[in-house]
Each structure stands twice: as C-alpha cells, then as structure tokens.
Amino acid sequence: MKATYKYLVLPVVAGVFALSCEKLETTNVDPNNPVEVPSHMLMSGAQKHMMDDVYDNWFSARQCLTYSQYWAQRNYTEEDRYQIRESVNNGHFNSFYRNLYYMDRIIELNTDPKKAAISVNYGNNKNQIAAAKIMKVWMLSIITDTWGNVPYSEAGKLIQDVYHPKYDDQKDIYAAMIRELTEASQMIDVKEKAFIGGDIIYKGDAAKWKKFANSLKCRLAIHLSKVDSNWKTYIAEALKDGVFESNADNAVFKYSTTGQDYCQFYEGFFVAQRNDFTIARPFMDILKGQPDTLNKKSHPWAGVVDPRLEVYTTSRNGKYIGIPFGIASGDMSSAYRNIAPSWYSNPPIHLSKDFAVPIMTYAELQFILSEYKGFSADEYKTGVRASVTYWTTLNGKPISTEDLDKYVDAVSKKVDAEAVALQKYIDLYMNGTEAWVEIRRTGYPDQLIRPGEVSLVGPKGNTIKFNPLSDTKGMIIPRVKYPTNESTLNGENFNAAVSKLEGGTNNYYSKMYWDVRTGPYDHPANK
C-alpha cells in the first residue's frame, strides 16, 4: 500500500506566516514543522490527501470500483472476490479519520478569535468554516457508508481526554450530516471569497460551495428515501437554497502534471508500473447495450451503444471486450487478459496525470431529482444529456447535438426506477464509492453479476462462477468489516458496535441503515 501521507505542511510559506504573526522563538523550534499552518494551505493539502486516500489504487481500484464492477483485476483477483487485506483496511480507516481532523483544524483556525483574526486574510472566516464542514461531511459519508456505525460524536477529541470514542449509530450520523450541510449552506456569504488560494475544487468560489452543500444534501437525502420520512423535506430545503445548475458547478478535483501532484490512478499504472486493472465485462456489456445471455438478463436499451464507451475505456485490436469479473486468479488466463483492453499500453483519460476526479456532478443531481419527483422524464433526460456532454467534452471529442438527441431518445423509451438507476450508475464511473452505495440502495443494475452467477464459459465448455471469498449472503458486498486494529485499540466500543451487527459478528453481510433490500435482486427503489 502506498504511504498514507506524502506531504501536508508547506514549510517555507508556513514559516513566513509564523514569523510575520508572532515573535520568533529560537529554542526547541523546528522550522520545517511549524505549529500552525495557514488555513488556505491546510485546505489545499487536506483536499489532496482526501482525494489521494479515496481515489487511489487500493480503496477505489481494489475495492469500490471493483465492488461496483466497473473494473476488474487482470492478475490477482482476491479483492474482486471480497478478500480484503487487513493492513489496507486499517490504513484507510485511520487515514480517513485524519482527514476529518484536518477539517476540524480549519474550523478551529476560523473560530478561535485570535486565530480567526489571522485566517480572515485567507478568506471569509464563515465561508472557510462552511467549506471545511462540507468536506468533512463528504469524507464522513464515505466512512459510514463503508463500515456502518462508526465513531463520530466523540472522534477527534483527544485534547478532551476522549481516548476511546464510542461508535454512533448510522441513523444518528446521517442526521448530523444533514444538519451540518444545512448549517454550512446558511452561513455562506456568496459575496465573499471562501479562500484566496489553496482551494483546488472551487478556487475559493463561495457560491459554488453553497451549491455543493445543498447538492450533497440531496445525495444524502436520497440515500434515506426508504428509512426517513423527511427525505423529501431535505431535498425541498436544498432546492430552495440553491443546488447545481449546470456542469460548470460540478465538484471535481483536477490533479496537476507538475511534480508529484498527479492523479493516483496514473501513479498506480505508470509510476508503480503496474498493469493491474482493466474494464470489467459487466460494465463493458452495459455500455455496449449487450444483454447477459449467460445469466439470462435483459438490457433496458439493448443494442444501443453508449457514447461514453470510448471515453471510459480503450479498445484492443479494434474490439471492446471486458475482462471476466469475479473469477479466481487461477482461472484468469492470458487468453482473457489478451482480449481485454490493456490500459497500460493504451490508457484512457482517467489514467492521465491531471485527471479531474468527479466528486459529484450536475448529472447525478438530476437523477436524484428525477427519483424525488417519481422518476420524472424531464430531469432524467437532463441528467443523461449533462453526463454525456460532460464526459465526451472531457475526452476532447464532444458529442454532436444530433448524436446526443438520438442517444437520449433511445434510452428514454421507458423512464422508470431501472432507467434512472442505470444511467446514474453509468455517470458515476470513477466515483466507485457512490456507485457502490447506489447498487446497495436500489438493487440496480441487474446486469451486474451476483455471487453464484456465471461469469464466463471456460475453454472446455465449463461454467466459471463468481464465488466470493467472504460470505455476503448472495449479495454484492453490503459492507466492509471493521478493521482489526479497532478490536485492540478501542476494544469496548468495537465490541459494542459488533454486537449490533447481524449475528453479532464482524461480517461482510450486515446491511447499512439505509439498505432495506431483502435479497440480491430486490429493488426497493420501485416500492
């Protein structure tokens, strides 16, 4: 696993900041590790750490992108089959919580009167607090949607002598996140800058941060659509306060081509020189409009080739064939690797150094609003148009109006829960964390392979099935087990949390609070 933290403190500028604000003390002071870092610099480093930790070749590539069956491993397929390395699980749990701490530090730098008087030089204090709250909620949502009940209300309180934080129920965590986003949006002054620099996502634009807060609130609200009777109220509040209005509002983190500030997906392939992943066959077949005949599954718009296909992957010898998903490493022969795209030799856009990783898009919001309005056609079509336009433009080959119209018409013959879920799934490519949530929440796409289903027919005519290495009760993995370090470092609270899981064991099959499915193909979004 890569080192969790490469850099956060920028010592030269931070040292100038410290020197300009208080008397220089020369005793026992390390000039390369200042006590206080300016808030805008802290935000810059923290944003990159968050993105590096979530959108990397471990948590994303070997977990969320494979759980969502966007990607599959070409060689070692154990993670595809839900065998998670404990060291990796422990590392992500720790690093994600460190990211929450960085956001708390930004809030403190803009709340404490003396520190706020300095931080105001780098942006409006309240706007900085709001942006930190929004990023904290985004990070926390990934934490809780991965492990379930987790520490929150008592987390990060070592200074208050809280060494063993309790695990909050996910229901309470969601209520807190909705509340935090509401407060963040309401405190933003759109006439003032959020940051004068250091904000890689929105370049200090407070109006866009406000839209992101409310759009993210809609995302969390739709997660709760089957368990919280107030979910529509949350969305109505967000709409009234202002949400994404176009692709220009998308929350994206664009990496750099300079130094080591490049995208982690690029690092995994070209710096680490690992050709580990390619597009999975279930996702490739969805994009090609090809039904799964092995498992007798239909396709809602069979025969329609998605215009995003050439953006999301590259071909091999002019053919688009995905690699089989969920098969044992011993069954992953060179024959399958040699017909699937080799991204190492022919990389798609998401392996570029400066790839703009999507955190949330206008298209996703439109699909949320379509569901909110009873699977309305207008918002659905707007979402499809926004997604196709965004991705094809990103690839430098924007789709023509005529071709876009044809595609939208072809996929809009029947607008229902499946159509909305499937188009949202296609748009969420590279955002495996949220795609995995939607798979568990809605039961779609049907076209994905469930445990026990046929992945391919082998060379001798034998069927090879997706057989997970961990029990998930026949479902695409509902959660990740709590990391083992917690059992020793926070044993009492860990045991209390485990006792609330199904069967009282730390397992992979206990469902999230918002996951009300009763079986692998249950579609609660229809109900």
Side-chain angles (χ1 to χ4, degrees):
M1 182 179 179
K2 65 178 175 61
T4 303
Y5 293 94
K6 294 179 179 176
Y7 49 84
L8 178 63
V9 177
L10 289 82
V12 177
V13 179
V16 172
F17 169 80
L19 182 62
S20 66
C21 297
E22 57 188 22
K23 182 179 178 181
L24 178 64
E25 298 292 339
T26 59
T27 305
N28 296 324
V29 173
D30 181 354
N32 293 320
N33 289 284
V35 175
E36 294 289 0
V37 179
S39 57
H40 66 305
M41 290 170 55
L42 186 55
M43 176 57 86
S44 177
Q47 282 182 0
K48 186 174 186 299
H49 278 298
M50 284 182 166
M51 301 302 293
D52 286 356
D53 290 341
V54 174
Y55 299 106
D56 69 346
N57 296 281
W58 291 91
F59 185 75
S60 269
R62 286 181 173 84
Q63 291 185 219
C64 296
L65 288 171
T66 56
Y67 297 165
S68 304
Q69 298 183 28
Y70 290 132
W71 289 13
Q73 296 193 74
R74 302 176 72 255
N75 300 295
Y76 310 109
T77 65
E78 283 71 27
E79 283 95 352
D80 301 26
R81 301 165 64 211
Y82 310 148
Q83 184 178 86
I84 299 170
R85 306 180 201 198
E86 286 298 338
S87 60
V88 174
N89 197 27
N90 285 315
H92 283 123
F93 194 80
N94 293 339
S95 62
F96 288 179
Y97 271 99
R98 289 194 189 103
N99 288 328
L100 296 187
Y101 168 75
Y102 294 139
M103 293 301 108
D104 283 337
R105 289 289 298 122
I106 293 172
I107 293 171
E108 178 192 353
L109 289 173
N110 285 278
T111 303
D112 178 272
K114 291 184 179 180
K115 296 174 182 178
I118 298 171
S119 295
V120 74
N121 293 308
Y122 310 111
N124 178 276
N125 291 132
K126 289 186 176 181
N127 287 350
Q128 291 188 55
I129 293 171
K133 282 178 175 284
I134 296 164
M135 290 302 295
K136 183 177 179 180
V137 167
W138 173 73
M139 186 79 255
L140 180 61
S141 70
I142 293 173
I143 294 172
T144 188
D145 289 340
T146 299
W147 290 282
N149 297 343
V150 291
Y152 173 61
S153 60
E154 293 183 354
K157 293 188 175 181
L158 288 175
I159 197 171
Q160 300 174 30
D161 296 329
V162 178
Y163 301 107
H164 304 99
K166 69 176 183 179
Y167 284 57
D168 296 270
D169 287 348
Q170 192 173 43
K171 177 180 179 180
D172 297 328
I173 294 173
Y174 259 81
M177 292 192 295
I178 294 288
R179 185 171 60 252
E180 288 279 348
L181 290 174
T182 302
E183 292 174 355
S185 176
Q186 291 175 349
M187 72 167 54
I188 290 176
D189 182 351
V190 298
K191 297 179 181 179
E192 298 282 344
K193 294 284 288 186
F195 294 93
I196 61 167
D199 173 14
I200 301 171
I201 296 173
Y202 280 130
K203 305 296 186 290
D205 189 328
K208 290 187 183 294
W209 276 109
K210 187 179 184 72
K211 292 178 182 179
F212 181 34
N214 288 310
S215 299
L216 185 56
K217 183 176 176 178
C218 291
R219 173 192 280 180
L220 299 185
I222 207 71
H223 291 178
L224 301 174
S225 62
K226 298 304 173 184
V227 294
D228 187 340
S229 60
N230 293 314
W231 73 278
K232 285 193 173 183
T233 300
Y234 304 146
I235 293 180
E237 291 172 349
L239 291 173
K240 184 178 180 180
D241 207 31
V243 295
F244 291 163
E245 298 178 82
S246 71
N247 281 336
D249 294 326
N250 289 352
V252 299
F253 184 97
K254 186 171 177 59
Y255 279 90
S256 172
T257 59
T258 61
Q260 294 185 352
D261 290 351
Y262 38 67
C263 177
Q264 290 298 293
F265 299 125
Y266 169 87
E267 180 180 80
F269 274 77
F270 302 111
V271 179
Q273 298 182 336
R274 300 282 306 227
N275 189 14
D276 286 340
F277 307 99
T278 190
I279 193 166
R281 183 173 293 175
F283 184 47
M284 180 76 93
D285 287 349
I286 287 173
L287 294 174
K288 290 163 61 179
Q290 182 171 305
D292 177 4
T293 56
L294 291 177
N295 295 290
K296 299 180 180 178
K297 297 181 181 181
S298 62
H299 193 298
W301 41 85
V304 177
V305 178
D306 197 290
R308 289 160 290 192
L309 172 63
E310 295 181 11
V311 184
Y312 291 166
T313 187
T314 49
S315 63
R316 185 153 188 162
N317 298 323
K319 297 181 179 180
Y320 288 93
I321 301 174
I323 204 162
F325 181 83
I327 66 176
S329 295
D331 291 326
M332 186 62 78
S333 69
S334 59
Y336 306 132
R337 290 193 291 269
N338 290 341
I339 61 174
S342 173
W343 286 345
Y344 191 74
S345 59
N346 189 16
I349 191 171
H350 60 261
L351 295 186
S352 57
K353 274 189 174 183
D354 60 346
F355 177 60
V357 180
I359 301 170
M360 186 173 184
T361 65
Y362 171 63
E364 180 193 341
L365 175 68
Q366 289 302 304
F367 296 130
I368 291 170
L369 296 182
S370 175
E371 184 173 346
Y372 166 69
K373 294 183 178 182
F375 303 105
S376 61
D378 287 347
E379 282 75 14
Y380 168 80
K381 292 179 180 179
T382 299
V384 175
R385 288 181 179 278
S387 179
V388 174
T389 300
Y390 173 75
W391 282 104
T392 57
T393 301
L394 194 67
N395 200 37
K397 299 178 181 179
I399 190 170
S400 69
T401 301
E402 181 182 2
D403 287 342
L404 180 58
D405 288 342
K406 288 181 180 178
Y407 177 74
V408 173
D409 288 343
V411 300
S412 302
K413 304 299 184 185
K414 183 180 180 181
V415 178
D416 56 9
E418 180 178 17
V420 172
L422 189 52
Q423 280 294 336
K424 184 193 283 190
Y425 170 79
I426 296 171
D427 176 68
L428 286 172
Y429 182 60
M430 297 311 297
N431 196 346
T433 56
E434 185 59 20
W436 181 36
V437 169
E438 286 297 286
I439 291 166
R440 291 173 286 169
R441 183 182 74 86
T442 69
Y444 292 114
D446 280 344
Q447 294 74 22
L448 302 184
I449 298 176
R450 270 64 176 176
E453 294 184 335
V454 179
S455 180
L456 77 156
V457 175
K460 298 180 180 179
N462 56 312
T463 57
I464 300 176
K465 296 183 177 181
F466 172 22
N467 291 317
L469 296 172
S470 301
D471 184 14
T472 62
K473 302 291 187 183
M475 296 186 184
I476 289 173
I477 185 170
R479 72 181 289 268
V480 172
K481 290 172 64 175
Y482 291 128
T484 54
N485 281 356
E486 281 290 285
S487 65
T488 55
L489 298 177
N490 192 14
E492 182 177 349
N493 292 306
F494 169 87
N495 290 330
V498 169
S499 70
K500 295 181 179 181
L501 298 174
E502 185 177 341
T505 62
N506 188 17
N507 57 64
Y508 291 98
Y509 52 76
S510 292
K511 296 193 288 291
M512 298 288 116
Y513 158 64
W514 40 257
D515 182 354
V516 298
R517 293 173 301 159
T518 58
Y521 283 102
D522 186 27
H523 299 130
N526 286 325
K527 300 173 184 175

